Amino acid sequence: MKTLVLAEKPSVAREIARVLGCTKKGKGSIEGAKYIVTWALGHLVELKTPEDYDNRYKTWKLEDLPIMPKEMKLKVMKKTGAQFNHVSQLAKRKDVGELVIATDAGREGELVARWIMEKIHFNKPFKRLWISSQTDKAIRDGFKNLQPGQAFNRLYESALCRAEADWLIGLNISRALTTKFEEPLSAGRVQTPTLAMVFEREKTIQSFKPQTFWTIEAEFSQFKAQWQGSKDKRIFKEEEANTIYKNLLGNKAVVKSIRKKKGTEVQPLPYDLNELQREANKQFQFSAKKTLNVLQKLYEQHKLVTYPRTDSRYLTTDMVATMRDRLESIAGTYKEEVRPLLKGNPTLPKRVVNNEKVSDHHAIIITDQPLFLSDLSADERKLYELIVKRFIELFYPAYEYEKMTIELDINGERFVAYGKRTVEQGFKGLFGGGDNDQALPLLKENQELTVQNIDLKTGLTEPPQRFSEADLLAQMEKHNLGTPATRADIIEKLLSAESIERTNHRLYPTKKGKQLIDLVAEELKSPELTAKWEQELENIARGKGNAKTFMANIRKQTEKIVSDVKKSEKTYTPHNLTGSKCPECGELLRERKGKNGRMLVCSSHDCSYRRAKDPKLSNRRCPQCHKKMEIHNGKAGTYFQCRRCQITEKAQDKKKKVSKREERNLLKKYGDDGSFGSSLGDALKQALQKKD
């Protein structure tokens, strides 16, 4: 009997098949003596849409809401239907005795497999492959230690509850808002409280009133000290600042006290997904989505890092023995940092190894796959270097320092100087780390010092900055909104729905987003409610929660929120109306963002008029500024234009390329004896010679 292995993606399936010795390739699977490896294409099965339950739901009507089927049903996705049929046929083969779920080892991966199994009515034994890296060794070890499929039933229950809750709340609320206010409005269980946090930050910024303040700095021959009041180093009254300043001039300073304190800064923990996305955003301005996509390639394609979608920053005890192999894999590239570690016994700090703080997956670290940096793209290299440097730092000592505080008196006014002296560089000496604190000289109490200069400075208090993606991810983690695997998609969803916009790497609420927050129910905006739901889902996954109770509460909440929308007396003003009128019906046109640029669309639901607002850009480059030129159709035909340089070029007729099918037919016609090679050019050349 053979074992059917179900992977999530074709790329992963190919690697598993290679390790298992499967070589016979089919349309949707790879077969060997013992195993048949097949794959999903992401999802093959999804929850039915409202119109699948009743055809009348194709037309959105407020009176039909909320739509809450008694039993949520599944359907095969049209675009991946052929692959689903192939998986189904394989599962029903008489020589297939069991299934191994090899989809991503997480909540979403479990859902992908279980929905397929449910839809094909799979009733044979099944097991679970649970691995945290895609190396050959990890795959082989994983198949030696397959776990019972039923052991992950609770994880599936949690994933199912999440999917059904998002369907019930997201679909019903979005339909209710859209039909009530006649505008495409999207709301959801996680995206709405996330939008609310962006909006609250904007309100704080807009209501902020700057205050003028003054600071006073004393300069000595080897260091500087700042004036310090009882509570603040800032003075908010100009008269007081000037008085203090004048009283200081011409006076000497007396050292009142010298305090020294030794401190230690331990190595930072390895990354989880959230922390890595924040760091990549701060250092490289990567979006959360981009970081996840690049990380997925490092995991699946290059096999250089462990499972990406983790919420843990700790490692397990069984991993300790693998550390030397991991370090040896990078010793050729990071010689100076790694080779001293390999001479001895590389040891992890005790606080990093903690089984209790690892649920599904451990922290993101490197694998034992040999490293060839030249194989990586620029973005892949940047992200990999963050992970590998953090990993190497774990094996070096902590950073030790001595902090010094000097308190001085200048004519009755208190000044303080802070400094830091490095005792042991430790991990901070590896990659150019360290502190920029000033070095303080050796002084004695009651010592008198000459003040070289007194500087009175003025400034304005500043509002908090708008969120970067790193900031928003931190807030989402703090309030337990979403999971590490879903947070990037939530931010992208808000951007694509035009509820927020990204400007200079900061997130701003749009006019549409501000109105949307005003229209939705208070409880849907609450991070606390969503955090409570997330905790309940986590409890279900751990066997401590009740799925039926959770879904009953979600249904009640959906009914209440839809009812609030129906009763609402609020109004919505279209944010994207232009002053231009539709040439067909006379209604005002709206501006919308499309795949090919901005579009002008008629605001009337009964009119289908639409046109591009911006000229379409071609691949032709301006000979002067090298920017892409616009493409236009005029009386004389198609032409290219660069408005900036006032350059216009007529489009030349392009020679039609021969399609693959046409090439095969020509080869068949002119290469009949098979002696001309595989080149069409050679075949035609020989045919012409024959004709001559």
Side-chain angles (χ1 to χ4, degrees), residues 524-540:
L524 197 59
K525 293 185 278 188
S526 164
E528 289 75 22
L529 177 63
T530 303
K532 182 187 171 189
W533 285 337
E534 290 292 345
Q535 187 57 54
E536 287 180 30
L537 287 167
E538 188 62 32
N539 289 341
I540 292 167

PDB file of all heavy atoms in Angstrom, residues 524-540:
ATOM      1  N   LEU A 524     -17.183  46.852  17.665  1.00  0.00           N
ATOM      2  CA  LEU A 524     -16.348  46.345  16.579  1.00  0.00           C
ATOM      3  C   LEU A 524     -15.024  47.106  16.500  1.00  0.00           C
ATOM      4  O   LEU A 524     -14.031  46.593  15.996  1.00  0.00           O
ATOM      5  CB  LEU A 524     -17.093  46.442  15.242  1.00  0.00           C
ATOM      6  CG  LEU A 524     -16.538  45.590  14.092  1.00  0.00           C
ATOM      7  CD1 LEU A 524     -16.536  44.116  14.453  1.00  0.00           C
ATOM      8  CD2 LEU A 524     -17.336  45.811  12.819  1.00  0.00           C
ATOM      9  N   LYS A 525     -15.010  48.344  17.022  1.00  0.00           N
ATOM     10  CA  LYS A 525     -13.786  49.145  17.028  1.00  0.00           C
ATOM     11  C   LYS A 525     -12.884  48.788  18.197  1.00  0.00           C
ATOM     12  O   LYS A 525     -11.733  49.197  18.254  1.00  0.00           O
ATOM     13  CB  LYS A 525     -14.135  50.640  17.111  1.00  0.00           C
ATOM     14  CG  LYS A 525     -14.827  51.188  15.886  1.00  0.00           C
ATOM     15  CD  LYS A 525     -15.039  52.675  15.983  1.00  0.00           C
ATOM     16  CE  LYS A 525     -16.248  53.063  16.793  1.00  0.00           C
ATOM     17  NZ  LYS A 525     -16.550  54.508  16.720  1.00  0.00           N
ATOM     18  N   SER A 526     -13.409  48.054  19.145  1.00  0.00           N
ATOM     19  CA  SER A 526     -12.703  47.805  20.399  1.00  0.00           C
ATOM     20  C   SER A 526     -11.626  46.737  20.260  1.00  0.00           C
ATOM     21  O   SER A 526     -11.931  45.578  19.971  1.00  0.00           O
ATOM     22  CB  SER A 526     -13.706  47.369  21.473  1.00  0.00           C
ATOM     23  OG  SER A 526     -13.050  46.791  22.563  1.00  0.00           O
ATOM     24  N   PRO A 527     -10.357  47.089  20.478  1.00  0.00           N
ATOM     25  CA  PRO A 527      -9.300  46.065  20.472  1.00  0.00           C
ATOM     26  C   PRO A 527      -9.519  45.025  21.574  1.00  0.00           C
ATOM     27  O   PRO A 527      -9.148  43.875  21.422  1.00  0.00           O
ATOM     28  CB  PRO A 527      -8.018  46.874  20.738  1.00  0.00           C
ATOM     29  CG  PRO A 527      -8.354  48.281  20.375  1.00  0.00           C
ATOM     30  CD  PRO A 527      -9.808  48.442  20.673  1.00  0.00           C
ATOM     31  N   GLU A 528     -10.169  45.447  22.666  1.00  0.00           N
ATOM     32  CA  GLU A 528     -10.387  44.537  23.794  1.00  0.00           C
ATOM     33  C   GLU A 528     -11.294  43.374  23.404  1.00  0.00           C
ATOM     34  O   GLU A 528     -11.040  42.224  23.756  1.00  0.00           O
ATOM     35  CB  GLU A 528     -10.988  45.285  24.996  1.00  0.00           C
ATOM     36  CG  GLU A 528     -10.032  46.227  25.695  1.00  0.00           C
ATOM     37  CD  GLU A 528      -9.775  47.515  24.927  1.00  0.00           C
ATOM     38  OE1 GLU A 528     -10.625  47.878  24.071  1.00  0.00           O
ATOM     39  OE2 GLU A 528      -8.728  48.144  25.150  1.00  0.00           O
ATOM     40  N   LEU A 529     -12.370  43.682  22.641  1.00  0.00           N
ATOM     41  CA  LEU A 529     -13.297  42.624  22.240  1.00  0.00           C
ATOM     42  C   LEU A 529     -12.615  41.633  21.297  1.00  0.00           C
ATOM     43  O   LEU A 529     -12.725  40.416  21.458  1.00  0.00           O
ATOM     44  CB  LEU A 529     -14.538  43.220  21.564  1.00  0.00           C
ATOM     45  CG  LEU A 529     -15.562  42.192  21.039  1.00  0.00           C
ATOM     46  CD1 LEU A 529     -16.144  41.372  22.173  1.00  0.00           C
ATOM     47  CD2 LEU A 529     -16.678  42.893  20.257  1.00  0.00           C
ATOM     48  N   THR A 530     -11.886  42.183  20.313  1.00  0.00           N
ATOM     49  CA  THR A 530     -11.192  41.309  19.367  1.00  0.00           C
ATOM     50  C   THR A 530     -10.119  40.494  20.070  1.00  0.00           C
ATOM     51  O   THR A 530      -9.919  39.311  19.764  1.00  0.00           O
ATOM     52  CB  THR A 530     -10.565  42.145  18.236  1.00  0.00           C
ATOM     53  OG1 THR A 530     -11.601  42.902  17.595  1.00  0.00           O
ATOM     54  CG2 THR A 530      -9.904  41.268  17.193  1.00  0.00           C
ATOM     55  N   ALA A 531      -9.414  41.113  21.029  1.00  0.00           N
ATOM     56  CA  ALA A 531      -8.393  40.395  21.794  1.00  0.00           C
ATOM     57  C   ALA A 531      -9.027  39.248  22.587  1.00  0.00           C
ATOM     58  O   ALA A 531      -8.443  38.160  22.709  1.00  0.00           O
ATOM     59  CB  ALA A 531      -7.680  41.350  22.739  1.00  0.00           C
ATOM     60  N   LYS A 532     -10.227  39.491  23.101  1.00  0.00           N
ATOM     61  CA  LYS A 532     -10.947  38.444  23.843  1.00  0.00           C
ATOM     62  C   LYS A 532     -11.274  37.275  22.908  1.00  0.00           C
ATOM     63  O   LYS A 532     -11.106  36.111  23.269  1.00  0.00           O
ATOM     64  CB  LYS A 532     -12.231  39.031  24.432  1.00  0.00           C
ATOM     65  CG  LYS A 532     -13.045  38.035  25.261  1.00  0.00           C
ATOM     66  CD  LYS A 532     -14.377  38.638  25.663  1.00  0.00           C
ATOM     67  CE  LYS A 532     -15.274  37.572  26.284  1.00  0.00           C
ATOM     68  NZ  LYS A 532     -16.650  38.056  26.492  1.00  0.00           N
ATOM     69  N   TRP A 533     -11.720  37.590  21.686  1.00  0.00           N
ATOM     70  CA  TRP A 533     -12.016  36.545  20.694  1.00  0.00           C
ATOM     71  C   TRP A 533     -10.748  35.748  20.363  1.00  0.00           C
ATOM     72  O   TRP A 533     -10.773  34.522  20.278  1.00  0.00           O
ATOM     73  CB  TRP A 533     -12.576  37.163  19.418  1.00  0.00           C
ATOM     74  CG  TRP A 533     -14.000  37.627  19.536  1.00  0.00           C
ATOM     75  CD1 TRP A 533     -14.926  37.203  20.427  1.00  0.00           C
ATOM     76  CD2 TRP A 533     -14.653  38.596  18.716  1.00  0.00           C
ATOM     77  NE1 TRP A 533     -16.124  37.859  20.229  1.00  0.00           N
ATOM     78  CE2 TRP A 533     -15.992  38.720  19.180  1.00  0.00           C
ATOM     79  CE3 TRP A 533     -14.262  39.391  17.650  1.00  0.00           C
ATOM     80  CZ2 TRP A 533     -16.914  39.588  18.606  1.00  0.00           C
ATOM     81  CZ3 TRP A 533     -15.175  40.255  17.078  1.00  0.00           C
ATOM     82  CH2 TRP A 533     -16.491  40.345  17.550  1.00  0.00           C
ATOM     83  N   GLU A 534      -9.621  36.468  20.162  1.00  0.00           N
ATOM     84  CA  GLU A 534      -8.371  35.797  19.828  1.00  0.00           C
ATOM     85  C   GLU A 534      -7.939  34.857  20.955  1.00  0.00           C
ATOM     86  O   GLU A 534      -7.455  33.758  20.700  1.00  0.00           O
ATOM     87  CB  GLU A 534      -7.259  36.829  19.557  1.00  0.00           C
ATOM     88  CG  GLU A 534      -7.429  37.625  18.271  1.00  0.00           C
ATOM     89  CD  GLU A 534      -7.255  36.782  17.018  1.00  0.00           C
ATOM     90  OE1 GLU A 534      -6.736  35.655  17.112  1.00  0.00           O
ATOM     91  OE2 GLU A 534      -7.652  37.245  15.938  1.00  0.00           O
ATOM     92  N   GLN A 535      -8.132  35.299  22.191  1.00  0.00           N
ATOM     93  CA  GLN A 535      -7.763  34.458  23.328  1.00  0.00           C
ATOM     94  C   GLN A 535      -8.637  33.209  23.387  1.00  0.00           C
ATOM     95  O   GLN A 535      -8.157  32.110  23.685  1.00  0.00           O
ATOM     96  CB  GLN A 535      -7.885  35.250  24.637  1.00  0.00           C
ATOM     97  CG  GLN A 535      -7.354  34.509  25.864  1.00  0.00           C
ATOM     98  CD  GLN A 535      -5.899  34.099  25.715  1.00  0.00           C
ATOM     99  OE1 GLN A 535      -5.043  34.923  25.439  1.00  0.00           O
ATOM    100  NE2 GLN A 535      -5.618  32.816  25.879  1.00  0.00           N
ATOM    101  N   GLU A 536      -9.926  33.378  23.075  1.00  0.00           N
ATOM    102  CA  GLU A 536     -10.835  32.227  23.058  1.00  0.00           C
ATOM    103  C   GLU A 536     -10.433  31.232  21.968  1.00  0.00           C
ATOM    104  O   GLU A 536     -10.493  30.009  22.178  1.00  0.00           O
ATOM    105  CB  GLU A 536     -12.278  32.700  22.842  1.00  0.00           C
ATOM    106  CG  GLU A 536     -12.872  33.387  24.074  1.00  0.00           C
ATOM    107  CD  GLU A 536     -14.304  33.850  23.830  1.00  0.00           C
ATOM    108  OE1 GLU A 536     -15.005  33.215  23.039  1.00  0.00           O
ATOM    109  OE2 GLU A 536     -14.692  34.867  24.437  1.00  0.00           O
ATOM    110  N   LEU A 537     -10.009  31.752  20.807  1.00  0.00           N
ATOM    111  CA  LEU A 537      -9.549  30.877  19.722  1.00  0.00           C
ATOM    112  C   LEU A 537      -8.291  30.117  20.143  1.00  0.00           C
ATOM    113  O   LEU A 537      -8.132  28.932  19.842  1.00  0.00           O
ATOM    114  CB  LEU A 537      -9.271  31.700  18.460  1.00  0.00           C
ATOM    115  CG  LEU A 537     -10.504  32.227  17.712  1.00  0.00           C
ATOM    116  CD1 LEU A 537     -10.097  33.272  16.681  1.00  0.00           C
ATOM    117  CD2 LEU A 537     -11.270  31.096  17.045  1.00  0.00           C
ATOM    118  N   GLU A 538      -7.395  30.800  20.843  1.00  0.00           N
ATOM    119  CA  GLU A 538      -6.183  30.154  21.340  1.00  0.00           C
ATOM    120  C   GLU A 538      -6.534  29.078  22.362  1.00  0.00           C
ATOM    121  O   GLU A 538      -5.934  27.990  22.376  1.00  0.00           O
ATOM    122  CB  GLU A 538      -5.255  31.209  21.967  1.00  0.00           C
ATOM    123  CG  GLU A 538      -3.877  30.693  22.346  1.00  0.00           C
ATOM    124  CD  GLU A 538      -3.078  30.191  21.164  1.00  0.00           C
ATOM    125  OE1 GLU A 538      -3.236  30.716  20.044  1.00  0.00           O
ATOM    126  OE2 GLU A 538      -2.298  29.239  21.366  1.00  0.00           O
ATOM    127  N   ASN A 539      -7.513  29.375  23.209  1.00  0.00           N
ATOM    128  CA  ASN A 539      -7.956  28.391  24.214  1.00  0.00           C
ATOM    129  C   ASN A 539      -8.545  27.144  23.549  1.00  0.00           C
ATOM    130  O   ASN A 539      -8.339  26.018  24.010  1.00  0.00           O
ATOM    131  CB  ASN A 539      -8.989  29.016  25.151  1.00  0.00           C
ATOM    132  CG  ASN A 539      -8.372  30.041  26.080  1.00  0.00           C
ATOM    133  OD1 ASN A 539      -7.159  30.066  26.284  1.00  0.00           O
ATOM    134  ND2 ASN A 539      -9.192  30.909  26.642  1.00  0.00           N
ATOM    135  N   ILE A 540      -9.300  27.366  22.456  1.00  0.00           N
ATOM    136  CA  ILE A 540      -9.874  26.227  21.718  1.00  0.00           C
ATOM    137  C   ILE A 540      -8.751  25.354  21.164  1.00  0.00           C
ATOM    138  O   ILE A 540      -8.799  24.125  21.246  1.00  0.00           O
ATOM    139  CB  ILE A 540     -10.798  26.725  20.579  1.00  0.00           C
ATOM    140  CG1 ILE A 540     -12.059  27.384  21.173  1.00  0.00           C
ATOM    141  CG2 ILE A 540     -11.195  25.572  19.651  1.00  0.00           C
ATOM    142  CD1 ILE A 540     -12.877  28.173  20.159  1.00  0.00           C
TER     143      ILE A 540
END
